[in-house]
Amino acid sequence: MGCTLSRTQDENGTEPHQLQVADIFVFVPGLRIPKRIGAAKFLEGRNSGTLSERLKMRTRILFLLIKFVFPKEKERRNFTDHGGPSLTELRLALEEYLSILQEFLREGFHLSDIAEFSWSNQEDEIKETTLRSAHYELLSVLHLLGMLFLIEANIALTPKPSADGSQSKIFEESKKAAIELLLKAAQVLECCLSSVLPQFPAELKAKLPVDLQEAVLRALQLQALGQGVEIQLGLAIDNVKATLAVKRRLACEGVKYWNQTQESMSKVRLGSDWGKKHALFVNWKCTEAKAAAYYYHGLILDEGLEENTRAEAVACLREADVLLKESQKNGLQFCAAPPMTRLPIVWGPMVHLSEKIPKDFSSKVRVNRDAYCRERTI
């Protein structure tokens, strides 16, 4: 399951299948789900009243998470809703439990002597990973917190009705809020990579589930940064004071992040449908970023006076046009892959580029062709 999935039953009411109904602006993998640890038997005979009270926060997180991810049929919603109090409560509970875990680790308290920690993933609820490691618990909590920031970014980017009742759109303040949330997600994932994973011995690291492996965490962090740059480029396009050089720099930065994301994901075997869909999403966004980079590089080359730069400009615009068409196909392929999703509205840089790239390319080709004909006539 992924960020916006609802669970339904087939006609016979037996095996559940997945139905995706929400628009995806920020891709969110399956959430990690904690299982009850049953620490009571480990706490017998210990002076552990305070510890027991603190560990109850984990039970509260489990309760809130079940309410959030698996609402009753009549309360079912998707994650493009405003989340309501459950999303905020869940994040605050996670942050409180996170501080408790960090305090235990700072004090040298060995939680692994008390309980085994079990977690599953929303994409594969049957398969659990149980480890007697407080760092595994910490890593799982941080991963869940990072995914909640991505969910909030997706909510922020969901179009909202205008005050005048016209077509829904994504407001500038929502885009800026989404950038902040994506940066927070990237920071949490960087903490996983630089501070928590190095604490794992090699034999324990080998037992980690796929979604907590270094390559996956790195891919998610780079994806968050890449989507933040994508939004920044869209804001720069809307800003009349932003130069072509600024737009090209942002576009090239986006290409760098998406290429690195693809490289990290290539190191992991993506067994589930949602994992394969994630790879298609990254491929789609990478192609869009390359189209933008070629386009702005072509416009800058076109400002040159030399004959060869104009030819290079046309070549760049041609490549941008090819990549734009390829990205549109990739977007459709992403949405058609199981679980099926709606194609979201054109937003961000693509609102401008989907019109300007083919228009400017055909214009430059026509101008060059006319100039060539004049030279031949002379």
Side-chain angles (χ1 to χ4, degrees):
M1 284 172 68
C3 70
T4 50
L5 287 170
S6 299
R7 305 203 74 178
T8 58
Q9 290 187 329
D10 63 15
E11 294 178 356
N12 299 320
T14 53
E15 289 297 322
H17 65 275
Q18 297 170 340
L19 173 65
Q20 183 79 22
V21 294
D23 295 332
I24 296 179
F25 300 93
V26 176
F27 190 95
V28 187
L31 302 180
R32 293 193 61 70
I33 310 292
K35 303 296 181 180
R36 296 186 185 277
I37 56 176
K41 64 179 181 180
F42 296 100
L43 297 175
E44 290 177 3
R46 300 171 185 258
N47 183 17
S48 52
T50 304
L51 175 60
S52 179
E53 286 300 315
R54 289 181 176 182
L55 287 178
K56 282 181 181 177
M57 178 55 69
R58 193 179 194 273
T59 306
R60 173 167 170 73
I61 291 170
L62 176 58
F63 172 74
L64 290 172
L65 195 57
I66 290 173
K67 252 181 80 174
F68 182 69
V69 179
F70 309 112
K72 294 177 182 177
E73 189 70 34
K74 63 180 180 180
E75 300 171 346
R76 180 166 291 151
R77 65 175 186 278
N78 58 56
F79 289 0
T80 54
D81 293 336
H82 291 285
S86 57
L87 176 57
T88 304
E89 285 176 29
L90 177 57
R91 183 163 51 78
L92 290 175
L94 271 176
E95 289 171 351
E96 185 176 346
Y97 183 54
L98 184 60
S99 66
I100 292 171
L101 281 176
Q102 290 171 325
E103 185 180 345
F104 281 150
L105 291 169
R106 278 195 303 269
E107 293 174 356
F109 195 93
H110 297 293
L111 282 176
S112 54
D113 294 337
I114 295 174
E116 294 177 331
F117 297 99
S118 294
W119 290 74
S120 64
N121 190 287
Q122 192 183 359
E123 296 175 17
D124 189 358
E125 299 159 43
I126 298 175
K127 188 183 294 183
E128 293 182 17
T129 303
T130 303
L131 296 176
R132 192 177 281 257
S133 167
H135 285 103
Y136 170 61
E137 178 80 349
L138 179 60
L139 190 62
S140 295
V141 170
L142 286 169
H143 182 280
L144 179 53
L145 182 60
M147 297 309 99
L148 291 185
F149 282 129
L150 293 183
I151 289 172
E152 289 187 86
N154 191 66
I155 291 170
L157 292 173
T158 302
K160 298 168 182 64
S162 303
D164 57 3
S166 59
Q167 187 177 6
S168 298
K169 63 179 182 179
I170 306 172
F171 297 98
E172 183 174 332
E173 58 269 23
S174 297
K175 295 175 185 176
K176 291 178 179 178
I179 293 173
E180 291 297 319
L181 290 162
L182 289 165
L183 289 175
K184 286 180 180 179
Q187 289 168 356
V188 169
L189 292 164
E190 176 58 33
C191 180
C192 293
L193 290 160
S194 61
S195 300
V196 184
L197 266 184
Q199 306 298 323
F200 282 77
E203 63 274 12
L204 198 59
K205 192 180 290 188
K207 296 178 182 178
L208 289 174
V210 173
D211 54 341
L212 293 184
Q213 290 178 10
E214 183 175 359
V216 175
L217 294 173
R218 181 66 69 191
L220 287 170
Q221 182 209 23
L222 292 166
Q223 174 192 316
L225 294 172
Q227 294 212 257
V229 170
E230 178 186 11
I231 301 170
Q232 286 180 297
L233 176 58
L235 293 172
I237 291 172
D238 293 337
N239 186 348
V240 293
K241 295 181 180 179
T243 63
L244 286 177
V246 168
K247 295 170 187 175
R248 181 178 65 175
R249 177 182 62 78
L250 287 169
C252 291
E253 192 176 346
V255 172
K256 180 189 74 173
Y257 284 132
W258 288 113
N259 276 338
Q260 290 175 341
T261 304
Q262 280 187 318
E263 184 181 348
S264 292
M265 291 190 70
S266 67
K267 299 175 183 176
V268 182
R269 187 176 64 84
L270 303 171
S272 67
D273 285 344
W274 199 248
K276 294 171 184 175
K277 195 173 182 74
H278 191 180
L280 290 172
F281 179 83
V282 172
N283 186 47
W284 173 27
K285 289 298 174 180
C286 188
T287 315
E288 282 188 347
K290 288 178 181 177
Y294 270 105
Y295 174 69
Y296 286 112
H297 187 56
L299 293 186
I300 289 175
L301 288 175
D302 191 57
E303 292 179 340
L305 301 176
E306 296 82 5
E307 184 70 27
N308 63 326
T309 58
R310 288 202 297 272
E312 289 175 4
V314 172
C316 283
L317 293 174
R318 177 182 291 108
E319 185 64 20
D321 189 58
V322 171
L323 287 165
L324 176 65
K325 292 172 182 173
E326 185 181 339
S327 73
Q328 291 166 345
K329 292 178 183 177
N330 290 344
L332 292 172
Q333 186 181 6
F334 163 75
C335 293
M340 292 183 65
T341 51
R342 287 200 303 251
L343 184 67
I345 63 167
V346 179
W347 70 283
M350 286 298 122
V351 173
H352 175 81
L353 297 179
S354 59
E355 295 181 6
K356 293 292 289 181
I357 288 176
K359 181 179 176 181
D360 287 353
F361 168 58
S362 61
S363 173
K364 296 302 176 187
V365 168
R366 186 172 61 253
V367 168
N368 276 24
R369 184 174 61 244
D370 293 345
Y372 176 75
C373 290
R374 284 197 300 273
E375 289 174 5
R376 288 291 301 271
T377 303
I378 294 171

